[in-house]
């Protein structure tokens, strides 16, 4: 479930006298390719009485062109937006076959469209050396990008730099430090020199405090945080533009909200424009100042595994449930409660039997282990029953079920636990032992042995089913049948006709 946040961003420019503002271009609206849903957006500009024209630049980014007909001593831009932060897998994409391994070249038509994003600056000795050290042996393209992104993050120390503009890649490498925009522009040039189309991206970065501290790696921010940020995007055939953040060494995720993605940094500035004034004397200059305020707040946060309901919320839910129960009881309504909890093996969470398949090699064994632990913890002296469960339409066989039966007063229902078969340690019993048990049970119940009927596999039915399969399908293929049904097929094929699997005991006698 997404966490809904409200982002507030305000920038105030102040002048010591009225000035005439040139048309101002504001690039503070999430770009069309933003993957994080933005459900609310508002832009407020002061002074009032201005003209605002929304348009898109050649790359499709939103920008507001503001015209101020009157002189003013202040200029303010305020953005308020609401975004839904749901986890984004940055590697959730496919590549064209021709681009799965690097080096690769763009097809001619695509390369023509990407020409502005392939333009390179002259490489100085440090950038040239960095380009030269990248191995040209064919490798998975994603692995190459991860390596390059991590390389820049390791080489360049992050610093807050208040000077305007972006450092040249050579200067950033020489200083081994830079702001986010400097690292992003360095990575853009590195990728372009390696033949990959890349663009400079500015946007909002939202980072929320993690519910649980990671077992390894950085702990992340100590409080919810947002700021203007810059990163790089590379064009991959089949995937489109993919974001790389060299400041963190990570791929762009749900917290990266792009505002402008352009071939050059200057055309991605959040606000651009100038002003004019009447000088009072020769050499006169206007004194100006700027203040920036940014904050992010959680406005809707659903319970989740890593942050469940608070104690007061649990108490309120419990009180509501008791109130409902009381009213139902007063009206004579009687209810029973059933449930079908779902469990997943901690050491095999992606296995088919824990996600899609009805049965599997380990599911029943794990269920037996769970039943044994529950019996020890809650049902001492209880009887464990292994039997048939639900039989869903379209499935070959019914499910199985483990049931625990015990008494509330603690009186044991079952004493001889060793007599309950444990398939975790098979005893090797077969048809002969089944016959001995059936005869003993019949004798105890007083049923004549002549009423015992051996049960056989319906071999002809299995052979008919096999005959209907396509010629290129193996009837013992693990993807064809559920594990229990495969075992039955294998038993029929190996033992031949008339394999006895059990006895039926009708409850009627002479």
């Amino acid at each position: 479930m997404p966490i809904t946040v409200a982002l507030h961003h305000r920038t105030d420019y102040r002048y010591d006298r009225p000035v005439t503002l040139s048309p101002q271009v504001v690039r503070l609206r999430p770009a069309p390719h933003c993957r994080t849903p933005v459900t609310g957006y508002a832009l407020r500009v002061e002074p009032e009485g201005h003209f605002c024209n929304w348009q898109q630049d050649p790359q499709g980014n939103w920008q507001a062109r503001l015209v101020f007909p009157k002189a003013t001593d202040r200029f303010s831009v305020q953005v308020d937006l609401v975004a839904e932060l749901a986890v984004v897998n940055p590697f959730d994409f496919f590549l064209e076959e021709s681009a799965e391994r690097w080096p690769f070249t763009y097809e001619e038509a695509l390369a023509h469209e990407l020409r502005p994003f392939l333009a390179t600056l002259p490489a100085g000795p440090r950038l040239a050396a960095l380009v030269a050290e990248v191995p040209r042996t064919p490798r998975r393209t994603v692995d190459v990008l991860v390596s390059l992104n991590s390389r820049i993050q390791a080489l360049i120390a992050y610093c807050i730099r208040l000077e305007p503009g972006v450092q040249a890649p050579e200067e950033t490498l020489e200083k081994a430090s830079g702001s986010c925009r400097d690292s992003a522009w360095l990575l853009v040039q590195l990728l372009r020199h390696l033949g990959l189309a890349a663009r400079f991206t500015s946007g909002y970065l939202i980072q929320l405090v993690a519910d649980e501290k990671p077992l390894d790696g950085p702990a992340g921010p100590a409080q919810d945080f947002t700021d203007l940020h810059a990163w790089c995007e590379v064009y991959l055939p089949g995937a489109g533009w993919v974001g790389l953040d060299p400041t963190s060494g990570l791929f762009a995720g749900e917290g990266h909200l792009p505002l402008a993605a352009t071939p050059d940094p200057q055309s991605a500035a959040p606000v651009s424009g100038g002003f004019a004034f009447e000088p009072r004397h020769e050499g006169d200059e206007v004194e100006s100042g700027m203040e920036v305020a940014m904050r992010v707040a959680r406005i809707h946060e659903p319970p989740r595994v890593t942050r469940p309901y608070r104690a007061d919320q649990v108490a309120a839910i419990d009180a509501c449930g008791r109130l409902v129960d009381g009213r139902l009881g007063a009206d004579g309504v009687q209810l029973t409660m059933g449930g079908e909890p779902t469990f997943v093996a901690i050491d095999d969470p992606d296995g088919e039997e824990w996600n899609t398949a009805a049965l599997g090699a380990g599911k029943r064994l794990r269920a037996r282990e769970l039943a044994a632990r529950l019996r020890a913890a809650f049902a001492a002296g209880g009887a464990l029953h292994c039997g048939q469960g639900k039989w869903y339409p379209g499935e070959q066989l019914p499910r199985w079920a483990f049931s625990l039966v015990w008494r509330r007063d603690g009186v044991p229902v079952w004493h001889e636990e060793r007599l309950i078969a444990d398939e975790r340690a098979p005893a090797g019993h077969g048809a002969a032992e089944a016959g001995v048990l059936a005869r003993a049970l019949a004798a105890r119940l007083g049923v004549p042995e002549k009423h015992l009927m051996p049960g056989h596999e319906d071999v002809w039915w299995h052979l008919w089913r096999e005959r209907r399969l396509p010629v290129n399908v193996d009837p013992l293929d693990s993807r064809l049948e559920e594990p229990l049904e495969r075992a039955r097929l294998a038993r029929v094929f190996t033992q031949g006709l008339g394999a006895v699997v059990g006895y039926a005991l009708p409850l009627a006698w002479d």
Side-chain angles (χ1 to χ4, degrees):
M1 297 293 290
I3 299 175
T4 305
V5 299
L7 182 148
H8 173 82
H9 172 206
R10 184 181 180 90
T11 303
D12 293 312
Y13 300 89
R14 299 287 180 176
Y15 311 96
D16 67 349
R17 73 193 72 170
V19 299
T20 301
L21 295 174
S22 66
Q24 306 288 309
V25 177
V26 176
R27 304 177 184 88
L28 292 175
R29 178 175 169 180
H33 71 288
C34 178
R35 291 187 293 178
T36 300
V38 177
T39 58
Y41 178 84
L43 174 68
R44 181 181 179 184
V45 177
E46 294 178 340
E48 298 180 353
H50 61 274
F51 298 94
C52 178
N53 177 33
W54 280 104
Q55 57 190 24
Q56 289 180 282
D57 68 8
Q59 285 73 43
N61 304 298
W62 290 109
Q63 57 185 25
R65 186 175 186 274
L66 306 172
V67 177
F68 300 87
K70 298 180 181 180
T72 181
D73 61 355
R74 62 188 177 88
F75 170 41
S76 174
V77 178
Q78 177 176 310
V79 171
D80 290 284
L81 64 82
V82 177
E84 295 181 349
L85 297 184
V87 176
V88 169
N89 178 6
F91 299 98
D92 186 17
F93 56 79
F94 294 97
L95 299 180
E96 296 286 354
E97 185 177 353
S98 59
E100 288 182 351
R101 300 181 69 81
W102 182 85
F104 66 86
T105 56
Y106 298 104
E107 62 179 25
E108 184 177 352
L110 182 58
H112 175 75
E113 296 175 349
L114 294 174
R115 187 172 299 168
F117 308 102
L118 290 166
T120 58
L121 297 175
R126 290 179 176 82
L127 179 58
L130 184 61
V131 173
E133 76 178 29
V134 179
R136 293 327 194 257
T137 54
R139 290 180 293 159
R140 292 179 67 245
T141 301
V142 173
D143 293 341
V144 173
L145 295 176
V146 170
S147 175
L148 295 175
N149 198 35
S150 300
R151 177 66 172 149
I152 299 299
Q153 190 272 337
L155 280 177
I156 309 302
Y158 173 73
C159 67
I160 298 177
R161 193 171 61 81
L162 300 180
E163 298 84 3
V166 178
Q167 293 178 170
E170 197 68 16
E171 181 182 0
T172 302
L173 289 171
E174 181 180 3
K175 294 180 176 179
S177 68
S179 65
C180 57
R181 60 186 185 275
D182 302 321
S183 295
W185 184 234
L186 171 60
L187 181 57
V188 167
Q189 286 298 312
L190 175 60
L191 291 171
R192 291 182 183 179
H193 278 278
L194 294 173
L196 295 170
R199 63 186 184 183
F200 182 91
T201 304
S202 68
Y204 290 122
L205 175 63
I206 300 176
Q207 293 180 291
L208 302 182
V209 177
D211 294 341
E212 300 288 343
K213 292 184 178 181
L215 298 178
D216 54 9
Q223 61 183 11
D224 295 346
F225 165 83
T226 187
D227 201 355
L228 285 170
H229 192 52
W231 59 93
C232 164
E233 292 182 354
V234 60
Y235 191 86
L236 303 177
W241 292 104
V242 175
L244 309 175
D245 187 348
T247 301
S248 63
L250 304 175
F251 278 45
E254 66 276 2
H256 293 75
L257 279 64
L259 299 172
T262 58
D264 301 293
Q266 61 267 22
S267 54
V271 180
S272 59
F275 63 86
F277 68 98
E278 291 290 338
R280 296 169 181 171
H281 51 78
E282 186 177 355
D284 185 22
E285 294 183 354
V286 172
E287 293 186 6
S288 61
M290 181 183 69
E291 294 183 359
V292 178
M294 297 192 69
R295 64 177 182 269
V296 63
R298 308 187 190 200
I299 59 177
H300 179 66
E301 190 172 2
R304 49 197 180 275
V305 174
T306 51
R307 178 169 288 182
Y309 289 110
R310 302 188 307 270
D312 60 321
Q313 293 174 317
V314 174
I317 294 172
D318 184 65
C320 179
R322 294 182 183 277
L323 177 63
V324 172
D325 284 345
R327 291 184 178 181
L328 291 174
D331 292 336
V333 178
Q334 296 183 358
L335 301 175
T336 59
M337 182 176 67
E340 191 172 285
T342 301
F343 300 93
V344 176
I346 192 173
D347 56 352
D348 185 26
D350 298 323
E352 289 187 4
E353 61 181 322
W354 303 107
N355 292 274
T356 56
L359 299 173
K363 180 181 288 188
R364 181 159 175 160
L365 297 178
R366 295 297 178 84
R368 179 64 175 81
E369 174 67 23
L370 177 60
R373 294 189 182 188
L374 291 173
R375 182 176 184 270
F378 302 104
L384 174 62
H385 175 258
C386 308
Q388 178 176 321
K390 297 180 180 179
W391 196 336
Y392 291 99
E395 291 191 353
Q396 302 290 342
L397 296 170
R399 305 289 181 95
W400 40 262
F402 292 115
S403 303
L404 286 173
V405 181
W406 72 96
R407 289 178 50 151
R408 289 185 178 180
D409 57 10
V411 176
V413 176
W414 188 269
H415 296 276
E416 297 292 341
E417 186 175 355
R418 64 182 181 83
L419 296 179
I420 300 178
D422 190 345
E423 56 191 304
R424 294 172 297 177
H429 296 152
E433 288 77 10
V436 172
L437 174 63
R439 286 188 289 271
L441 181 60
R444 177 65 66 91
L445 295 175
V447 179
E449 189 174 323
K450 67 179 181 179
H451 291 296
L452 287 175
M453 295 181 295
H456 300 268
E457 289 280 3
D458 188 351
V459 178
W460 301 114
W461 182 82
H462 288 296
L463 293 176
W464 169 78
R465 288 195 60 216
E466 179 189 356
R467 180 67 178 83
R468 296 185 63 190
L469 295 174
V471 295
N472 62 339
V473 175
D474 182 357
L476 299 182
D477 191 331
S478 62
R479 296 167 297 179
L480 177 63
E481 302 285 357
E482 299 174 353
L484 186 57
E485 180 69 10
R486 294 202 310 273
R488 293 178 62 180
L489 279 172
R491 191 162 58 249
V492 170
F493 296 148
T494 56
Q495 295 184 2
L497 300 179
V500 178
V501 298
Y503 284 82
L505 179 65
L507 294 181
W509 56 86
D510 295 332

